[in-house]
Amino acid sequence: MLQKISNLMNRQTKEDGHIPLENIPQHVAIIMDGNGRWAKQRGLPRVAGHREGMKSVREVTRAADELGVKVLTLYAFSTENWKRPKDEVDYLMKLPQDYINLELEELIEKNVQIRLIGTEEGLPKHTLEALKIAREKTQENTGLILNFALNYGSRAEIVQSVKDIATKVKTGELEVKDIDESLVQTHLLTNGLTDPDLLIRTKEIRLSNFMLWQLAYTELYFSDVYWPEFSRDHFLKAILEYQRRVRRYGSV
Ligand code: IPE
Ligand code: IPE
Ligand code: MG
């Protein structure tokens, strides 16, 4: 581990210096976008971009682990992505299985814990089964939490939390006066995780229904690089930029 950190510290990023190891964001969330356009630019089918994007997932996960990031949340499929052509959706639903076959061994070796946020309803059996295995095999791990947002939509998440809280009020388990920000937070899918410190999105400058509650005071970083081209150096550059930001939370 120490060797890894010193390798990283000695690593020149394309920007300029080294990554200071204090002030590493605890939770980094990424909206991985631009896979389709990356493929189209090369005359390839869109799904080739999704496959290539797995390499960026590997590089970024390795870098996050080495830096000591605690949680890496990756937006892999939104509740709105069902609107895509069936062939593409089918392909995306097979990717978790392929990803796990390729990566699980290394993730276990690195003590990574795989988690999932999103709605299980609507996901094919084979996708759920692959993810279940990955979660079970890594649930005792204590290192980086690698949190996939799959069939995730923030508005649906908030609606569900409102329903759950309303039900508890109705049954007398809670009173209206008990409802505050931290209670709402515990009813979200991210319960137990801190809010993202840094959000990275490739290619577009919008949130696309991602973590609307949790991003209230997150630092936002937009990169014009297609996700399949987003490398370790791009990730380190984002971390350096984060380290330069002054977070005021409404104060002076
Ligand atoms: C992001 O890439 C991956 C998913 C949303 C599943 P896109 O597939 O959205 O790629 P573009 O934005 O069409 O280029
Ligand atoms: C957001 O990307 C969802 C994921 C990265 C999984 P989209 O490509 O679906 O977002 P829009 O449609 O450009 O807003
Ligand atoms: Mg897109």
Side-chain angles (χ1 to χ4, degrees), residues 45-64:
R46 289 178 53 82
V47 296
H50 299 316
R51 174 146 298 266
E52 190 71 13
M54 286 205 294
K55 291 186 187 159
S56 303
V57 170
R58 181 189 304 144
E59 276 205 29
V60 166
T61 304
R62 283 180 183 162

Side-chain angles (χ1 to χ4, degrees), residues 30 32 50 74-85 88-93 96 117-119 122-124 127 148-153 208-210:
I30 306 183
M32 312 180 285
H50 299 316
L74 301 177
Y75 200 9
F77 192 89
S78 76
T79 45
E80 287 71 38
N81 288 148
W82 296 108
K83 294 176 193 160
R84 296 185 176 204
E88 184 174 345
V89 170
D90 287 350
Y91 191 90
L92 285 166
M93 289 302 144
I117 53 170
T119 324
L123 291 174
T127 314
F148 285 100
L150 193 74
N151 198 16
Y152 173 87
S208 305
N209 200 14
F210 187 59

Side-chain angles (χ1 to χ4, degrees), residues 182-238:
S182 78
L183 183 102
V184 173
Q185 203 151 346
T186 58
H187 286 78
L188 297 174
L189 295 166
T190 47
N191 180 28
L193 301 177
T194 57
D195 290 338
D197 299 294
L198 171 65
L199 171 82
I200 299 171
R201 180 168 189 163
T202 55
K203 244 22 217 173
E204 301 291 349
I205 306 181
R206 56 174 169 258
L207 296 179
S208 305
N209 200 14
F210 187 59
M211 289 195 161
L212 302 177
W213 170 283
Q214 295 87 340
L215 296 176
Y217 269 105
T218 301
E219 294 298 323
L220 309 180
Y221 180 89
F222 297 98
S223 165
D224 199 32
V225 171
Y226 298 110
W227 176 250
E229 283 177 348
F230 195 85
S231 65
R232 174 193 181 90
D233 277 329
H234 293 114
F235 184 69
L236 297 182
K237 194 175 156 203

